[in-house]
Amino acid sequence: MCERHGCILIFLAFAAAFVNSCSAASAPDFIHPCNNTEPACLIKATQDAIPEFTKGLPQIGVPSLDPFIIDELPIQLPGIKVTFIDGKVTGLRKCEVLNVEAHLEKNVFVLEVRCNITIKGKYTAVGRLLLFSINGEGDAKIKIVNSIIKMNIKTKYFKDAEGRDHFGIKSYRYAFDYGERIHYTISNLFKGNPEISNTVLRFLNENWRVVTEEFGQPVVDYAMNVTIETAHKFFDAVPYDELLYVPLPKY
Ligand SMILES: *[C@@H]1O[C@H](CO)[C@@H](O)[C@H](O)[C@H]1NC(C)=O
Ligand SMILES: *[C@@H]1O[C@H](CO)[C@@H](O)[C@H](O)[C@H]1NC(C)=O
Ligand SMILES: *[C@@H]1O[C@H](CO)[C@@H](O)[C@H](O)[C@H]1NC(C)=O
């Protein structure tokens, strides 16, 4: 016997546990496992999964990647401190998969995608950027066109408590090619001086490659870290035999 509200709580707790264990045991239906490791099949399966995967899988703790929310990201660079606030990153769900390789014996997984990415939010910036002394606060939008991201992941395999195999990530390297063009739209780079602000902004856009090389690295490192953490959560939750119908090598 339990008092009314207590009963409902207990029921909800059971329901939640049930939903949790169900989703942890089986892959979402947007995963179409390949029967072999031919890149053609892996590319298609990955391309099919991206639009849904990037929405996030809250039931297994996988956050949304599109939109991806950045509450606050401080970037300390030589000479300038930029803080990005209330940021929203969009576009990943439309990434085009260029290559996927799974070398099960060698524990190597390769992924190459081409993406248009838009980052929007508020910022503060104090210090010097190239020739300019900056003291700004306002809105920022960064549009990255046709960037190419190549990831090379060292995988490992492990068994969960029920003895099922899982993919794990041991380490990773990546290369990020900023692509064809980056458009910056940044308001108020110099507080209260729209003319200088616009001149500097024009300069940033005309020299987007140099500018991006100067401050892009920490942002990209952060983004890759988030992506890998997300993949970790996914592989922890979904057993290997639901992702790929190819026997694992002995490990
Ligand atoms: C794998 O093989 C099964 C059974 O032959 C087939 O139904 C399925 O479509 C194949 N999967 C892919 C991705 O080719
Ligand atoms: C990115 O945008 C450009 C220009 O709008 C377009 O030509 C290209 O196909 C897009 N690329 C992807 C991967 O969506
Ligand atoms: C990646 O994220 C984790 C957890 O949020 C953090 O502990 C780690 O320092 C981060 N690594 C990098 C290189 O930012």
Side-chain angles (χ1 to χ4, degrees), residues 114-118 142-148 176-184 208-209:
R114 176 162 54 211
C115 310
N116 288 334
I117 303 170
T118 301
I142 304 167
K143 259 182 87 169
I144 308 172
V145 180
N146 280 335
S147 59
I148 294 189
F176 190 99
D177 180 328
Y178 291 110
E180 274 169 29
R181 188 64 228 270
I182 296 186
H183 300 276
Y184 291 101
W208 65 271
R209 201 173 274 278

Side-chain angles (χ1 to χ4, degrees), residues 72-142:
E72 187 175 325
L73 176 62
I75 308 166
Q76 181 62 63
L77 298 165
I80 184 165
K81 174 153 192 200
V82 179
T83 307
F84 206 65
I85 311 144
D86 293 335
K88 196 165 153 185
V89 182
T90 54
L92 291 179
R93 78 193 135 90
K94 290 197 182 148
C95 289
E96 183 189 339
V97 179
L98 302 178
N99 190 25
V100 183
E101 294 171 30
H103 304 283
L104 299 177
E105 297 278 351
K106 290 189 202 152
N107 291 81
V108 171
F109 184 83
V110 174
L111 174 66
E112 185 177 343
V113 291
R114 176 162 54 211
C115 310
N116 288 334
I117 303 170
T118 301
I119 308 168
K120 242 178 119 164
K122 305 208 172 298
Y123 80 96
T124 61
V126 181
R128 289 186 72 82
L129 180 65
L130 305 177
L131 300 172
F132 304 99
S133 153
I134 301 245
N135 175 16
E137 181 176 354
D139 299 317
K141 181 164 120 182
I142 304 167

Side-chain angles (χ1 to χ4, degrees), residues 131-199:
L131 300 172
F132 304 99
S133 153
I134 301 245
N135 175 16
E137 181 176 354
D139 299 317
K141 181 164 120 182
I142 304 167
K143 259 182 87 169
I144 308 172
V145 180
N146 280 335
S147 59
I148 294 189
I149 306 162
K150 287 185 201 174
M151 286 205 139
N152 189 306
I153 298 170
K154 288 287 276 177
T155 61
K156 60 182 179 190
Y157 310 118
F158 67 93
K159 285 193 197 299
D160 63 22
E162 289 161 24
R164 296 184 76 178
D165 296 314
H166 286 255
F167 254 134
I169 297 171
K170 201 162 145 193
S171 62
Y172 68 97
R173 283 184 291 123
Y174 72 83
F176 190 99
D177 180 328
Y178 291 110
E180 274 169 29
R181 188 64 228 270
I182 296 186
H183 300 276
Y184 291 101
T185 315
I186 306 174
S187 76
N188 207 23
L189 275 167
F190 287 81
K191 277 181 198 160
N193 194 331
E195 268 171 41
I196 302 187
S197 294
N198 285 338
T199 306

Side-chain angles (χ1 to χ4, degrees), residues 172 221-222 225-226 229:
Y172 68 97
D221 286 345
Y222 175 82
N225 194 9
V226 170
E229 302 251 314

Side-chain angles (χ1 to χ4, degrees), residues 189-222:
L189 275 167
F190 287 81
K191 277 181 198 160
N193 194 331
E195 268 171 41
I196 302 187
S197 294
N198 285 338
T199 306
V200 173
L201 181 58
R202 199 171 326 120
F203 178 89
L204 295 184
N205 275 304
E206 280 163 8
N207 299 278
W208 65 271
R209 201 173 274 278
V210 184
V211 169
T212 309
E213 275 158 12
E214 179 140 343
F215 86 93
Q217 196 64 40
V219 179
V220 174
D221 286 345
Y222 175 82

Side-chain angles (χ1 to χ4, degrees), residues 11 26 28 78 128 158 175 214 224 246 251:
F11 171 74
S26 68
R128 289 186 72 82
F158 67 93
E214 179 140 343
M224 291 299 150
V246 179
Y251 67 96

